[in-house]
Amino acid sequence: MTSPLQSLPVRFALDRAGLVGADGATHAGAFDIVYLGCLPNMVLMAAADELELMHMVATASMIDDRPCAFRYPRGDGRGLALPARGTPLEIGRGRVLQEGTAVAILSYGARLQECLAAASGSRHAGSVLHGGRCALRQAASILALIERLAREHAVMITLEEGVAGGFGALVMQHLAWRGLLETGLKFRPMTLPDRLIDHDTQAKQYEEAGLNASRIVVTVLAALGQDGRARQARSSSRKTPLARTN
């Protein structure tokens, strides 16, 4: 691929991101985050819903100095009201949608509602960040936000509709280089499993893959262990207010 080297505005629209229900294992979009995320100067975007997808299409049309890709899942939207046209997004920003103390959940893509449900349904889960529009390695804004969440929480979980080596790996590598995995932070990446998942409903496929709200809660509790309250207290003692980031 020469587009990163030549800074060409090649735009990849990646349909069927994640698991695809009746389309089966042959059509699952599981690997693009890994093979595109390793390319220099590449902008990756993953829509959480149909409104954000409109904005990402508008964003891609405005990028004229480097390649980009936006991924979106198979299936229905959430029924959100849509404008006549999308609005370009600022690249490299994250959105903190819920604030908490013990656990930070970083969502990349359309599993965001499952992350929010898990955070609301668990007394331990707290902050939820959506990082769906990032050139992660060059994005100082979202990287600074991720660093702050790492400092203020006992557990950090990343969740993506792709195999290991993608968004979670990029976050973990950055935290390692910054020394933030040496301070007691427990990091748990949640990805698609290392196997193919056969035809079924999307809900059952994601249940089998372990990427739904209940499995997020299980991961949270396992990371906190039996002494979750003590860790929560430790996080709360060093917590500073997070400003909502758009």
Side-chain angles (χ1 to χ4, degrees), residues 18-19 108 110-115 118 157-163 189-193 197 202-217 219:
L19 300 176
Y108 183 72
R111 296 275 90 192
L112 177 59
Q113 295 305 311
E114 295 296 312
C115 293
I157 292 171
T158 60
L159 191 141
E160 61 196 292
E161 301 157 298
V163 296
M190 297 184 69
T191 67
L192 292 177
I197 295 179
Q202 284 178 290
K204 290 183 178 179
Q205 285 183 323
Y206 278 113
E207 181 179 357
E208 182 178 344
L211 296 183
N212 56 13
S214 62
R215 292 298 295 274
I216 298 171
V217 172
T219 301

PDB file of all heavy atoms in Angstrom, residues 18-19 108 110-115 118 157-163 189-193 197 202-217 219:
ATOM      1  N   GLY A  18     -16.918  -6.245  12.398  1.00  0.00           N
ATOM      2  CA  GLY A  18     -17.302  -7.114  13.501  1.00  0.00           C
ATOM      3  C   GLY A  18     -18.024  -8.353  13.025  1.00  0.00           C
ATOM      4  O   GLY A  18     -17.801  -8.859  11.930  1.00  0.00           O
ATOM      5  N   LEU A  19     -18.928  -8.862  13.849  1.00  0.00           N
ATOM      6  CA  LEU A  19     -19.661 -10.083  13.537  1.00  0.00           C
ATOM      7  C   LEU A  19     -20.928  -9.744  12.752  1.00  0.00           C
ATOM      8  O   LEU A  19     -21.524  -8.687  12.944  1.00  0.00           O
ATOM      9  CB  LEU A  19     -19.993 -10.836  14.817  1.00  0.00           C
ATOM     10  CG  LEU A  19     -18.768 -11.257  15.637  1.00  0.00           C
ATOM     11  CD1 LEU A  19     -19.183 -11.914  16.940  1.00  0.00           C
ATOM     12  CD2 LEU A  19     -17.860 -12.180  14.828  1.00  0.00           C
ATOM     13  N   TYR A 108     -14.164   1.063  21.191  1.00  0.00           N
ATOM     14  CA  TYR A 108     -13.830   1.432  19.819  1.00  0.00           C
ATOM     15  C   TYR A 108     -14.841   0.761  18.894  1.00  0.00           C
ATOM     16  O   TYR A 108     -14.784  -0.442  18.662  1.00  0.00           O
ATOM     17  CB  TYR A 108     -12.409   0.982  19.475  1.00  0.00           C
ATOM     18  CG  TYR A 108     -11.954   1.390  18.091  1.00  0.00           C
ATOM     19  CD1 TYR A 108     -11.666   2.718  17.807  1.00  0.00           C
ATOM     20  CD2 TYR A 108     -11.808   0.456  17.075  1.00  0.00           C
ATOM     21  CE1 TYR A 108     -11.252   3.101  16.547  1.00  0.00           C
ATOM     22  CE2 TYR A 108     -11.393   0.824  15.819  1.00  0.00           C
ATOM     23  CZ  TYR A 108     -11.110   2.150  15.546  1.00  0.00           C
ATOM     24  OH  TYR A 108     -10.708   2.528  14.285  1.00  0.00           O
ATOM     25  N   ALA A 110     -18.950  -0.091  17.524  1.00  0.00           N
ATOM     26  CA  ALA A 110     -20.395  -0.157  17.776  1.00  0.00           C
ATOM     27  C   ALA A 110     -20.791  -0.915  19.036  1.00  0.00           C
ATOM     28  O   ALA A 110     -21.981  -1.086  19.287  1.00  0.00           O
ATOM     29  CB  ALA A 110     -21.081  -0.796  16.563  1.00  0.00           C
ATOM     30  N   ARG A 111     -19.849  -1.340  19.844  1.00  0.00           N
ATOM     31  CA  ARG A 111     -20.172  -1.969  21.125  1.00  0.00           C
ATOM     32  C   ARG A 111     -20.306  -0.935  22.241  1.00  0.00           C
ATOM     33  O   ARG A 111     -20.374  -1.300  23.422  1.00  0.00           O
ATOM     34  CB  ARG A 111     -19.093  -2.982  21.515  1.00  0.00           C
ATOM     35  CG  ARG A 111     -18.939  -4.179  20.599  1.00  0.00           C
ATOM     36  CD  ARG A 111     -19.914  -5.296  20.938  1.00  0.00           C
ATOM     37  NE  ARG A 111     -21.165  -5.172  20.212  1.00  0.00           N
ATOM     38  CZ  ARG A 111     -22.264  -5.860  20.479  1.00  0.00           C
ATOM     39  NH1 ARG A 111     -22.285  -6.705  21.499  1.00  0.00           N
ATOM     40  NH2 ARG A 111     -23.350  -5.723  19.759  1.00  0.00           N
ATOM     41  N   LEU A 112     -20.355   0.314  21.898  1.00  0.00           N
ATOM     42  CA  LEU A 112     -20.400   1.374  22.892  1.00  0.00           C
ATOM     43  C   LEU A 112     -21.601   1.239  23.820  1.00  0.00           C
ATOM     44  O   LEU A 112     -21.481   1.424  25.035  1.00  0.00           O
ATOM     45  CB  LEU A 112     -20.424   2.742  22.208  1.00  0.00           C
ATOM     46  CG  LEU A 112     -20.554   3.951  23.134  1.00  0.00           C
ATOM     47  CD1 LEU A 112     -19.401   4.012  24.127  1.00  0.00           C
ATOM     48  CD2 LEU A 112     -20.648   5.238  22.323  1.00  0.00           C
ATOM     49  N   GLN A 113     -22.777   0.912  23.294  1.00  0.00           N
ATOM     50  CA  GLN A 113     -23.964   0.795  24.143  1.00  0.00           C
ATOM     51  C   GLN A 113     -23.818  -0.344  25.140  1.00  0.00           C
ATOM     52  O   GLN A 113     -24.318  -0.260  26.265  1.00  0.00           O
ATOM     53  CB  GLN A 113     -25.216   0.607  23.280  1.00  0.00           C
ATOM     54  CG  GLN A 113     -25.543   1.807  22.396  1.00  0.00           C
ATOM     55  CD  GLN A 113     -25.667   3.097  23.188  1.00  0.00           C
ATOM     56  OE1 GLN A 113     -26.375   3.149  24.210  1.00  0.00           O
ATOM     57  NE2 GLN A 113     -25.005   4.152  22.742  1.00  0.00           N
ATOM     58  N   GLU A 114     -23.145  -1.426  24.752  1.00  0.00           N
ATOM     59  CA  GLU A 114     -22.880  -2.524  25.684  1.00  0.00           C
ATOM     60  C   GLU A 114     -21.942  -2.059  26.800  1.00  0.00           C
ATOM     61  O   GLU A 114     -22.104  -2.441  27.967  1.00  0.00           O
ATOM     62  CB  GLU A 114     -22.271  -3.709  24.928  1.00  0.00           C
ATOM     63  CG  GLU A 114     -23.198  -4.340  23.909  1.00  0.00           C
ATOM     64  CD  GLU A 114     -24.425  -4.972  24.541  1.00  0.00           C
ATOM     65  OE1 GLU A 114     -24.266  -5.728  25.528  1.00  0.00           O
ATOM     66  OE2 GLU A 114     -25.545  -4.694  24.066  1.00  0.00           O
ATOM     67  N   CYS A 115     -20.955  -1.234  26.446  1.00  0.00           N
ATOM     68  CA  CYS A 115     -20.046  -0.701  27.462  1.00  0.00           C
ATOM     69  C   CYS A 115     -20.787   0.193  28.446  1.00  0.00           C
ATOM     70  O   CYS A 115     -20.563   0.118  29.664  1.00  0.00           O
ATOM     71  CB  CYS A 115     -18.921   0.068  26.786  1.00  0.00           C
ATOM     72  SG  CYS A 115     -17.791  -0.946  25.810  1.00  0.00           S
ATOM     73  N   ALA A 118     -22.868  -1.942  30.734  1.00  0.00           N
ATOM     74  CA  ALA A 118     -22.041  -2.599  31.736  1.00  0.00           C
ATOM     75  C   ALA A 118     -21.642  -1.618  32.831  1.00  0.00           C
ATOM     76  O   ALA A 118     -21.655  -1.948  34.018  1.00  0.00           O
ATOM     77  CB  ALA A 118     -20.797  -3.199  31.088  1.00  0.00           C
ATOM     78  N   ILE A 157     -10.160  -1.328  30.710  1.00  0.00           N
ATOM     79  CA  ILE A 157     -10.607  -2.348  29.768  1.00  0.00           C
ATOM     80  C   ILE A 157     -10.795  -1.700  28.407  1.00  0.00           C
ATOM     81  O   ILE A 157     -11.399  -0.623  28.302  1.00  0.00           O
ATOM     82  CB  ILE A 157     -11.930  -2.985  30.237  1.00  0.00           C
ATOM     83  CG1 ILE A 157     -11.688  -3.802  31.512  1.00  0.00           C
ATOM     84  CG2 ILE A 157     -12.548  -3.859  29.151  1.00  0.00           C
ATOM     85  CD1 ILE A 157     -12.955  -4.289  32.168  1.00  0.00           C
ATOM     86  N   THR A 158     -10.274  -2.309  27.369  1.00  0.00           N
ATOM     87  CA  THR A 158     -10.562  -1.871  26.010  1.00  0.00           C
ATOM     88  C   THR A 158     -11.454  -2.907  25.346  1.00  0.00           C
ATOM     89  O   THR A 158     -11.332  -4.104  25.619  1.00  0.00           O
ATOM     90  CB  THR A 158      -9.280  -1.691  25.172  1.00  0.00           C
ATOM     91  OG1 THR A 158      -8.582  -2.941  25.091  1.00  0.00           O
ATOM     92  CG2 THR A 158      -8.383  -0.633  25.783  1.00  0.00           C
ATOM     93  N   LEU A 159     -12.338  -2.443  24.493  1.00  0.00           N
ATOM     94  CA  LEU A 159     -13.258  -3.359  23.819  1.00  0.00           C
ATOM     95  C   LEU A 159     -13.394  -2.950  22.363  1.00  0.00           C
ATOM     96  O   LEU A 159     -13.625  -1.785  22.058  1.00  0.00           O
ATOM     97  CB  LEU A 159     -14.624  -3.343  24.496  1.00  0.00           C
ATOM     98  CG  LEU A 159     -15.589  -4.447  24.037  1.00  0.00           C
ATOM     99  CD1 LEU A 159     -16.396  -4.995  25.194  1.00  0.00           C
ATOM    100  CD2 LEU A 159     -16.521  -3.933  22.945  1.00  0.00           C
ATOM    101  N   GLU A 160     -13.236  -3.913  21.471  1.00  0.00           N
ATOM    102  CA  GLU A 160     -13.302  -3.658  20.031  1.00  0.00           C
ATOM    103  C   GLU A 160     -13.863  -4.877  19.314  1.00  0.00           C
ATOM    104  O   GLU A 160     -13.738  -6.013  19.786  1.00  0.00           O
ATOM    105  CB  GLU A 160     -11.920  -3.332  19.481  1.00  0.00           C
ATOM    106  CG  GLU A 160     -10.908  -4.467  19.666  1.00  0.00           C
ATOM    107  CD  GLU A 160      -9.481  -4.005  19.484  1.00  0.00           C
ATOM    108  OE1 GLU A 160      -9.120  -3.665  18.340  1.00  0.00           O
ATOM    109  OE2 GLU A 160      -8.724  -3.985  20.492  1.00  0.00           O
ATOM    110  N   GLU A 161     -14.450  -4.636  18.146  1.00  0.00           N
ATOM    111  CA  GLU A 161     -15.013  -5.715  17.323  1.00  0.00           C
ATOM    112  C   GLU A 161     -13.970  -6.189  16.317  1.00  0.00           C
ATOM    113  O   GLU A 161     -14.175  -6.162  15.103  1.00  0.00           O
ATOM    114  CB  GLU A 161     -16.256  -5.212  16.591  1.00  0.00           C
ATOM    115  CG  GLU A 161     -17.346  -4.718  17.521  1.00  0.00           C
ATOM    116  CD  GLU A 161     -18.278  -3.756  16.824  1.00  0.00           C
ATOM    117  OE1 GLU A 161     -17.820  -2.685  16.385  1.00  0.00           O
ATOM    118  OE2 GLU A 161     -19.462  -4.079  16.714  1.00  0.00           O
ATOM    119  N   GLY A 162     -12.847  -6.616  16.829  1.00  0.00           N
ATOM    120  CA  GLY A 162     -11.757  -7.098  15.997  1.00  0.00           C
ATOM    121  C   GLY A 162     -10.876  -8.025  16.806  1.00  0.00           C
ATOM    122  O   GLY A 162     -11.032  -8.155  18.027  1.00  0.00           O
ATOM    123  N   VAL A 163      -9.936  -8.667  16.129  1.00  0.00           N
ATOM    124  CA  VAL A 163      -9.057  -9.627  16.797  1.00  0.00           C
ATOM    125  C   VAL A 163      -7.972  -8.898  17.584  1.00  0.00           C
ATOM    126  O   VAL A 163      -7.790  -7.686  17.459  1.00  0.00           O
ATOM    127  CB  VAL A 163      -8.412 -10.595  15.768  1.00  0.00           C
ATOM    128  CG1 VAL A 163      -9.476 -11.430  15.088  1.00  0.00           C
ATOM    129  CG2 VAL A 163      -7.585  -9.817  14.745  1.00  0.00           C
ATOM    130  N   PRO A 189      -7.637  -6.224  27.700  1.00  0.00           N
ATOM    131  CA  PRO A 189      -8.189  -5.998  26.362  1.00  0.00           C
ATOM    132  C   PRO A 189      -9.256  -7.044  26.035  1.00  0.00           C
ATOM    133  O   PRO A 189      -9.047  -8.245  26.237  1.00  0.00           O
ATOM    134  CB  PRO A 189      -6.969  -6.145  25.450  1.00  0.00           C
ATOM    135  CG  PRO A 189      -6.055  -7.077  26.196  1.00  0.00           C
ATOM    136  CD  PRO A 189      -6.304  -6.851  27.662  1.00  0.00           C
ATOM    137  N   MET A 190     -10.405  -6.606  25.546  1.00  0.00           N
ATOM    138  CA  MET A 190     -11.468  -7.507  25.115  1.00  0.00           C
ATOM    139  C   MET A 190     -11.587  -7.407  23.591  1.00  0.00           C
ATOM    140  O   MET A 190     -11.846  -6.328  23.040  1.00  0.00           O
ATOM    141  CB  MET A 190     -12.787  -7.142  25.791  1.00  0.00           C
ATOM    142  CG  MET A 190     -12.758  -7.285  27.299  1.00  0.00           C
ATOM    143  SD  MET A 190     -14.362  -6.962  28.101  1.00  0.00           S
ATOM    144  CE  MET A 190     -15.309  -8.404  27.538  1.00  0.00           C
ATOM    145  N   THR A 191     -11.371  -8.544  22.923  1.00  0.00           N
ATOM    146  CA  THR A 191     -11.374  -8.610  21.463  1.00  0.00           C
ATOM    147  C   THR A 191     -12.194  -9.808  21.010  1.00  0.00           C
ATOM    148  O   THR A 191     -12.665 -10.607  21.830  1.00  0.00           O
ATOM    149  CB  THR A 191      -9.939  -8.759  20.921  1.00  0.00           C
ATOM    150  OG1 THR A 191      -9.423 -10.042  21.321  1.00  0.00           O
ATOM    151  CG2 THR A 191      -9.020  -7.663  21.459  1.00  0.00           C
ATOM    152  N   LEU A 192     -12.351  -9.945  19.708  1.00  0.00           N
ATOM    153  CA  LEU A 192     -12.924 -11.179  19.173  1.00  0.00           C
ATOM    154  C   LEU A 192     -11.975 -12.330  19.466  1.00  0.00           C
ATOM    155  O   LEU A 192     -10.752 -12.147  19.465  1.00  0.00           O
ATOM    156  CB  LEU A 192     -13.149 -11.063  17.668  1.00  0.00           C
ATOM    157  CG  LEU A 192     -14.235 -10.085  17.212  1.00  0.00           C
ATOM    158  CD1 LEU A 192     -14.288 -10.035  15.682  1.00  0.00           C
ATOM    159  CD2 LEU A 192     -15.602 -10.472  17.768  1.00  0.00           C
ATOM    160  N   PRO A 193     -12.495 -13.528  19.714  1.00  0.00           N
ATOM    161  CA  PRO A 193     -11.629 -14.664  20.022  1.00  0.00           C
ATOM    162  C   PRO A 193     -10.844 -15.118  18.800  1.00  0.00           C
ATOM    163  O   PRO A 193     -11.173 -14.775  17.657  1.00  0.00           O
ATOM    164  CB  PRO A 193     -12.624 -15.745  20.475  1.00  0.00           C
ATOM    165  CG  PRO A 193     -13.908 -15.382  19.811  1.00  0.00           C
ATOM    166  CD  PRO A 193     -13.932 -13.876  19.759  1.00  0.00           C
ATOM    167  N   ILE A 197     -16.462 -17.648  14.171  1.00  0.00           N
ATOM    168  CA  ILE A 197     -17.766 -17.838  14.792  1.00  0.00           C
ATOM    169  C   ILE A 197     -18.798 -18.017  13.685  1.00  0.00           C
ATOM    170  O   ILE A 197     -18.932 -17.166  12.806  1.00  0.00           O
ATOM    171  CB  ILE A 197     -18.127 -16.643  15.697  1.00  0.00           C
ATOM    172  CG1 ILE A 197     -17.129 -16.586  16.867  1.00  0.00           C
ATOM    173  CG2 ILE A 197     -19.556 -16.756  16.209  1.00  0.00           C
ATOM    174  CD1 ILE A 197     -17.366 -15.449  17.822  1.00  0.00           C
ATOM    175  N   GLN A 202     -26.732 -11.898  15.497  1.00  0.00           N
ATOM    176  CA  GLN A 202     -25.591 -11.111  15.961  1.00  0.00           C
ATOM    177  C   GLN A 202     -25.515 -11.101  17.483  1.00  0.00           C
ATOM    178  O   GLN A 202     -24.420 -11.157  18.049  1.00  0.00           O
ATOM    179  CB  GLN A 202     -25.675  -9.692  15.407  1.00  0.00           C
ATOM    180  CG  GLN A 202     -25.296  -9.603  13.932  1.00  0.00           C
ATOM    181  CD  GLN A 202     -25.444  -8.203  13.393  1.00  0.00           C
ATOM    182  OE1 GLN A 202     -26.550  -7.700  13.237  1.00  0.00           O
ATOM    183  NE2 GLN A 202     -24.334  -7.563  13.093  1.00  0.00           N
ATOM    184  N   ALA A 203     -26.668 -11.047  18.144  1.00  0.00           N
ATOM    185  CA  ALA A 203     -26.668 -11.036  19.606  1.00  0.00           C
ATOM    186  C   ALA A 203     -26.031 -12.303  20.160  1.00  0.00           C
ATOM    187  O   ALA A 203     -25.215 -12.254  21.101  1.00  0.00           O
ATOM    188  CB  ALA A 203     -28.086 -10.883  20.126  1.00  0.00           C
ATOM    189  N   LYS A 204     -26.383 -13.456  19.581  1.00  0.00           N
ATOM    190  CA  LYS A 204     -25.810 -14.714  20.065  1.00  0.00           C
ATOM    191  C   LYS A 204     -24.338 -14.821  19.700  1.00  0.00           C
ATOM    192  O   LYS A 204     -23.538 -15.389  20.460  1.00  0.00           O
ATOM    193  CB  LYS A 204     -26.605 -15.890  19.513  1.00  0.00           C
ATOM    194  CG  LYS A 204     -27.997 -16.016  20.120  1.00  0.00           C
ATOM    195  CD  LYS A 204     -28.726 -17.246  19.603  1.00  0.00           C
ATOM    196  CE  LYS A 204     -30.095 -17.382  20.263  1.00  0.00           C
ATOM    197  NZ  LYS A 204     -30.839 -18.558  19.750  1.00  0.00           N
ATOM    198  N   GLN A 205     -23.967 -14.293  18.537  1.00  0.00           N
ATOM    199  CA  GLN A 205     -22.554 -14.310  18.169  1.00  0.00           C
ATOM    200  C   GLN A 205     -21.712 -13.492  19.139  1.00  0.00           C
ATOM    201  O   GLN A 205     -20.637 -13.919  19.567  1.00  0.00           O
ATOM    202  CB  GLN A 205     -22.378 -13.771  16.745  1.00  0.00           C
ATOM    203  CG  GLN A 205     -22.808 -14.738  15.653  1.00  0.00           C
ATOM    204  CD  GLN A 205     -22.551 -14.171  14.273  1.00  0.00           C
ATOM    205  OE1 GLN A 205     -22.713 -12.978  14.042  1.00  0.00           O
ATOM    206  NE2 GLN A 205     -22.153 -15.022  13.351  1.00  0.00           N
ATOM    207  N   TYR A 206     -22.201 -12.311  19.492  1.00  0.00           N
ATOM    208  CA  TYR A 206     -21.434 -11.480  20.421  1.00  0.00           C
ATOM    209  C   TYR A 206     -21.432 -12.064  21.829  1.00  0.00           C
ATOM    210  O   TYR A 206     -20.480 -11.872  22.592  1.00  0.00           O
ATOM    211  CB  TYR A 206     -21.959 -10.046  20.417  1.00  0.00           C
ATOM    212  CG  TYR A 206     -21.410  -9.242  19.253  1.00  0.00           C
ATOM    213  CD1 TYR A 206     -22.233  -8.801  18.221  1.00  0.00           C
ATOM    214  CD2 TYR A 206     -20.047  -8.961  19.189  1.00  0.00           C
ATOM    215  CE1 TYR A 206     -21.714  -8.088  17.150  1.00  0.00           C
ATOM    216  CE2 TYR A 206     -19.520  -8.250  18.120  1.00  0.00           C
ATOM    217  CZ  TYR A 206     -20.358  -7.815  17.107  1.00  0.00           C
ATOM    218  OH  TYR A 206     -19.823  -7.116  16.055  1.00  0.00           O
ATOM    219  N   GLU A 207     -22.501 -12.777  22.179  1.00  0.00           N
ATOM    220  CA  GLU A 207     -22.497 -13.487  23.457  1.00  0.00           C
ATOM    221  C   GLU A 207     -21.427 -14.573  23.447  1.00  0.00           C
ATOM    222  O   GLU A 207     -20.674 -14.734  24.417  1.00  0.00           O
ATOM    223  CB  GLU A 207     -23.868 -14.090  23.721  1.00  0.00           C
ATOM    224  CG  GLU A 207     -23.967 -14.826  25.050  1.00  0.00           C
ATOM    225  CD  GLU A 207     -25.357 -15.396  25.308  1.00  0.00           C
ATOM    226  OE1 GLU A 207     -26.258 -15.164  24.480  1.00  0.00           O
ATOM    227  OE2 GLU A 207     -25.527 -16.070  26.333  1.00  0.00           O
ATOM    228  N   GLU A 208     -21.351 -15.318  22.330  1.00  0.00           N
ATOM    229  CA  GLU A 208     -20.332 -16.360  22.210  1.00  0.00           C
ATOM    230  C   GLU A 208     -18.925 -15.762  22.212  1.00  0.00           C
ATOM    231  O   GLU A 208     -17.980 -16.341  22.764  1.00  0.00           O
ATOM    232  CB  GLU A 208     -20.547 -17.167  20.932  1.00  0.00           C
ATOM    233  CG  GLU A 208     -19.561 -18.299  20.744  1.00  0.00           C
ATOM    234  CD  GLU A 208     -19.823 -19.118  19.485  1.00  0.00           C
ATOM    235  OE1 GLU A 208     -20.932 -19.008  18.920  1.00  0.00           O
ATOM    236  OE2 GLU A 208     -18.906 -19.851  19.059  1.00  0.00           O
ATOM    237  N   ALA A 209     -18.791 -14.588  21.600  1.00  0.00           N
ATOM    238  CA  ALA A 209     -17.488 -13.929  21.538  1.00  0.00           C
ATOM    239  C   ALA A 209     -17.106 -13.269  22.854  1.00  0.00           C
ATOM    240  O   ALA A 209     -15.940 -12.915  23.058  1.00  0.00           O
ATOM    241  CB  ALA A 209     -17.489 -12.888  20.425  1.00  0.00           C
ATOM    242  N   GLY A 210     -18.074 -13.096  23.742  1.00  0.00           N
ATOM    243  CA  GLY A 210     -17.791 -12.464  25.029  1.00  0.00           C
ATOM    244  C   GLY A 210     -17.693 -10.958  24.958  1.00  0.00           C
ATOM    245  O   GLY A 210     -16.991 -10.336  25.765  1.00  0.00           O
ATOM    246  N   LEU A 211     -18.421 -10.349  24.009  1.00  0.00           N
ATOM    247  CA  LEU A 211     -18.353  -8.901  23.844  1.00  0.00           C
ATOM    248  C   LEU A 211     -19.711  -8.250  24.087  1.00  0.00           C
ATOM    249  O   LEU A 211     -20.131  -7.367  23.336  1.00  0.00           O
ATOM    250  CB  LEU A 211     -17.835  -8.541  22.439  1.00  0.00           C
ATOM    251  CG  LEU A 211     -16.411  -8.965  22.112  1.00  0.00           C
ATOM    252  CD1 LEU A 211     -16.016  -8.488  20.716  1.00  0.00           C
ATOM    253  CD2 LEU A 211     -15.419  -8.444  23.148  1.00  0.00           C
ATOM    254  N   ASN A 212     -20.401  -8.698  25.119  1.00  0.00           N
ATOM    255  CA  ASN A 212     -21.658  -8.046  25.495  1.00  0.00           C
ATOM    256  C   ASN A 212     -21.545  -7.516  26.925  1.00  0.00           C
ATOM    257  O   ASN A 212     -20.534  -7.699  27.607  1.00  0.00           O
ATOM    258  CB  ASN A 212     -22.842  -9.000  25.335  1.00  0.00           C
ATOM    259  CG  ASN A 212     -22.665 -10.278  26.128  1.00  0.00           C
ATOM    260  OD1 ASN A 212     -21.796 -10.386  26.991  1.00  0.00           O
ATOM    261  ND2 ASN A 212     -23.488 -11.273  25.842  1.00  0.00           N
ATOM    262  N   ALA A 213     -22.592  -6.822  27.363  1.00  0.00           N
ATOM    263  CA  ALA A 213     -22.532  -6.129  28.653  1.00  0.00           C
ATOM    264  C   ALA A 213     -22.243  -7.080  29.812  1.00  0.00           C
ATOM    265  O   ALA A 213     -21.437  -6.759  30.706  1.00  0.00           O
ATOM    266  CB  ALA A 213     -23.844  -5.372  28.893  1.00  0.00           C
ATOM    267  N   SER A 214     -22.891  -8.239  29.823  1.00  0.00           N
ATOM    268  CA  SER A 214     -22.707  -9.152  30.954  1.00  0.00           C
ATOM    269  C   SER A 214     -21.272  -9.656  31.046  1.00  0.00           C
ATOM    270  O   SER A 214     -20.718  -9.799  32.135  1.00  0.00           O
ATOM    271  CB  SER A 214     -23.680 -10.334  30.839  1.00  0.00           C
ATOM    272  OG  SER A 214     -23.439 -11.080  29.658  1.00  0.00           O
ATOM    273  N   ARG A 215     -20.647  -9.901  29.887  1.00  0.00           N
ATOM    274  CA  ARG A 215     -19.256 -10.375  29.909  1.00  0.00           C
ATOM    275  C   ARG A 215     -18.291  -9.248  30.280  1.00  0.00           C
ATOM    276  O   ARG A 215     -17.228  -9.506  30.848  1.00  0.00           O
ATOM    277  CB  ARG A 215     -18.897 -10.978  28.552  1.00  0.00           C
ATOM    278  CG  ARG A 215     -19.641 -12.275  28.254  1.00  0.00           C
ATOM    279  CD  ARG A 215     -19.299 -13.366  29.274  1.00  0.00           C
ATOM    280  NE  ARG A 215     -17.902 -13.760  29.193  1.00  0.00           N
ATOM    281  CZ  ARG A 215     -17.442 -14.687  28.357  1.00  0.00           C
ATOM    282  NH1 ARG A 215     -18.268 -15.319  27.541  1.00  0.00           N
ATOM    283  NH2 ARG A 215     -16.163 -14.989  28.347  1.00  0.00           N
ATOM    284  N   ILE A 216     -18.643  -8.026  29.931  1.00  0.00           N
ATOM    285  CA  ILE A 216     -17.821  -6.901  30.373  1.00  0.00           C
ATOM    286  C   ILE A 216     -17.834  -6.814  31.887  1.00  0.00           C
ATOM    287  O   ILE A 216     -16.793  -6.629  32.531  1.00  0.00           O
ATOM    288  CB  ILE A 216     -18.319  -5.585  29.750  1.00  0.00           C
ATOM    289  CG1 ILE A 216     -18.209  -5.632  28.223  1.00  0.00           C
ATOM    290  CG2 ILE A 216     -17.495  -4.406  30.282  1.00  0.00           C
ATOM    291  CD1 ILE A 216     -18.885  -4.459  27.526  1.00  0.00           C
ATOM    292  N   VAL A 217     -19.021  -6.972  32.487  1.00  0.00           N
ATOM    293  CA  VAL A 217     -19.137  -6.935  33.948  1.00  0.00           C
ATOM    294  C   VAL A 217     -18.317  -8.059  34.569  1.00  0.00           C
ATOM    295  O   VAL A 217     -17.618  -7.857  35.577  1.00  0.00           O
ATOM    296  CB  VAL A 217     -20.610  -7.021  34.383  1.00  0.00           C
ATOM    297  CG1 VAL A 217     -20.720  -7.192  35.896  1.00  0.00           C
ATOM    298  CG2 VAL A 217     -21.369  -5.778  33.932  1.00  0.00           C
ATOM    299  N   THR A 219     -15.652  -9.420  33.349  1.00  0.00           N
ATOM    300  CA  THR A 219     -14.244  -9.034  33.215  1.00  0.00           C
ATOM    301  C   THR A 219     -13.862  -7.999  34.258  1.00  0.00           C
ATOM    302  O   THR A 219     -12.775  -8.060  34.849  1.00  0.00           O
ATOM    303  CB  THR A 219     -13.986  -8.483  31.800  1.00  0.00           C
ATOM    304  OG1 THR A 219     -14.323  -9.480  30.829  1.00  0.00           O
ATOM    305  CG2 THR A 219     -12.530  -8.081  31.619  1.00  0.00           C
TER     306      THR A 219
END
